Amino acid sequence: MATAKKAAPAKKAAPAKKAAPAKKAAPAKKAAPAKKAAPAKKAAPAKKAAPAKKAAPAKKRTPNAAFMKAMTPSAALAAVIGDKALPRTEVTKKVWEYIKKNGLQDKVKKTMINADAKLKEIFKQAQVSMFEMTKLINQHLK
């Protein structure tokens, strides 16, 4: 028994030097505190604060000056949107109004625009995609 008592003080001396061996000896007993630590991580996420920061800088966008500059349409484009100088954004809106009013959007493939006589002068094709349309319209603006 005397040898067992000597071994016990030796173990107490070792944990005093290194705390890690004492934690390794009792991880089964400290499983419950580990679970308590996990909810603490869930309770204090920094991610919830981050969206608030993202929402704060989301100010109203200022339009690009190049898009807002009034452009004069060519004679062919003026037949569709009018001869008044308009920004590029408004020109595109007016062309879409014309397309919707006259039912020129393809019924099967909605990304395609079927050109009528006025739009054929601008597009130089019978059918164009809506993505190609703005490029072709910009050639008629000065």
Side-chain angles (χ1 to χ4, degrees):
M1 287 191 175
T3 56
K5 288 181 181 178
K6 288 181 182 177
K11 287 182 182 178
K12 288 181 182 176
K17 291 179 184 176
K18 293 182 181 178
K23 289 182 182 176
K24 287 183 181 177
K29 292 179 182 177
K30 293 188 178 183
K35 288 181 182 177
K36 288 180 183 176
K41 289 179 185 175
K42 289 180 184 176
K47 291 181 182 178
K48 288 185 179 178
K53 290 179 185 176
K54 287 181 184 177
K59 297 175 185 173
K60 196 167 190 176
R61 288 178 34 184
T62 55
N64 188 342
F67 285 118
M68 300 313 290
K69 181 182 174 188
M71 306 287 282
T72 307
S74 68
L77 186 57
V80 177
I81 64 166
D83 58 350
K84 191 171 81 171
L86 296 168
R88 291 176 195 267
T89 54
E90 292 298 316
V91 170
T92 305
K93 284 181 186 177
K94 293 240 183 213
V95 171
W96 269 109
E97 285 176 14
Y98 179 83
I99 290 167
K100 299 269 185 184
K101 183 176 80 175
N102 294 312
L104 300 175
Q105 195 170 7
D106 195 69
K107 303 292 182 211
V108 178
K109 192 172 181 187
K110 300 281 188 182
T111 59
M112 300 304 285
I113 309 300
N114 299 321
D116 64 351
K118 289 181 180 180
L119 290 180
K120 240 180 213 175
E121 294 177 31
I122 300 166
F123 299 154
K124 309 275 193 267
Q125 300 174 35
Q127 191 178 46
V128 296
S129 74
M130 64 172 63
F131 309 108
E132 189 180 15
M133 178 185 76
T134 53
K135 182 179 95 170
L136 295 170
I137 288 171
N138 284 337
Q139 294 173 356
H140 290 272
L141 295 171
K142 292 182 183 179

